[in-house]
Amino acid sequence: MADAKVIPFDDDRSRGGAVQRPPRRRAAGSRLKGDPVVVREVQPLPGRLSAQDDVPVTREKQPPQKPQEGPGGGLERRIAGGLAFLRRRLTGDYEIDDFGYDAELTDQVLMSLIRPLYEKYFRVEVKGIENIPSEGGALIVANHSGTLPLDGLMMQVAVHDNHPAGRHLRLLAADLVFMLPVVNELARKAGHTLACAEDAERLLERGELVGVMPEGFKGIGKPFSERYKLQRFGRGGFVSTALKQGTPIIPCSIVGAEEIYPMIGNAKTLARLLGFPYFPITPTFPWLGPLGAIPLPTKWTIQFGEPIRTDGYPPEAAEDPMLMFNLTDQVREQIQHTLYKLLVQRRSVFF
């Protein structure tokens, strides 16, 4: 038998039909001699596959397939997560820090209750979130307004939901907050603490993000005629705390909170009887009873300004009253300037 001559496919393509193809194995039902010739496609050799060839992918090369959930898969997972959460709460298998902060309860319950108000009702727009560091201590200083301290809660959600690191904001609150039943416990669980230098320093030492509103009751209880006019920032205690820890100060300006409860009067006698710093009178409260406590659906904007660094000052700088006054005034002026700029850009109170 003569040796067969192997003809490359390249030569076969270039010569067209001049070269005979190797004989093929005849399957059942194939043609007999004399039948018309049926030309079949020649399968390419390994290593010469083209992009158009329909070649089955081997098991190793197939991309991993994600398991498809049934119609109730997501619901079942949420129910299982909720049951696991309840089990941990009932058995006490959860952690809190020495301030009473419960991270799991805050993430899964408290934030979920506040978030619809943040997203749907006030439609908060956040700017400058990149000015908040991803790690380490920092002090956020914001204006305070709105008759009720909803601005602090909205700022807490804004930081957690918009920051790439999902950081938690630990607010410094007035002592009245921790004297009220129910409110006291919820504030502790959410990570907030008393507005004092000792607590602020401990949190900053741990690398926490701390929020303070130096205007206090003077800002939140001011009349509607003085809206967006910053009140005095106290004696600059927050600046001293930042200097001692060498943490940056981040000014924060909040627009929209001033109009949720337009305060047109203050029943001072009733406030003294109740032990409150003020008793607000608005166009709807107390005239409409509980309905008057519903805030107006204003459009909010929260802008975080560029950090003011304090790590370049010596340790004894925290005792320099002139330096504290200058830094306090710098923070206040930056917040006030940003408020005016945001008000000019705002199209409407409600849109």
Side-chain angles (χ1 to χ4, degrees), residues 312-334:
Y313 294 96
E316 60 272 13
E319 307 299 330
D320 186 350
M322 186 57 66
L323 176 61
M324 285 194 296
F325 174 80
N326 290 335
L327 286 177
T328 302
D329 190 60
Q330 180 182 352
V331 174
R332 186 180 182 276
E333 288 299 322
Q334 188 169 338

Side-chain angles (χ1 to χ4, degrees), residues 4-24:
K5 182 179 181 181
V6 179
I7 302 176
F9 279 99
D10 291 342
D11 293 342
D12 188 21
R13 294 192 189 97
S14 62
R15 296 175 185 176
V19 180
Q20 295 180 354
R21 299 181 183 275
R24 300 179 181 275

Side-chain angles (χ1 to χ4, degrees), residues 139-155:
L139 186 66
I140 297 181
V141 183
N143 59 306
H144 205 14
S145 61
T147 306
L148 290 181
L150 296 180
D151 50 359
L153 300 178
M154 296 301 106
M155 185 168 62

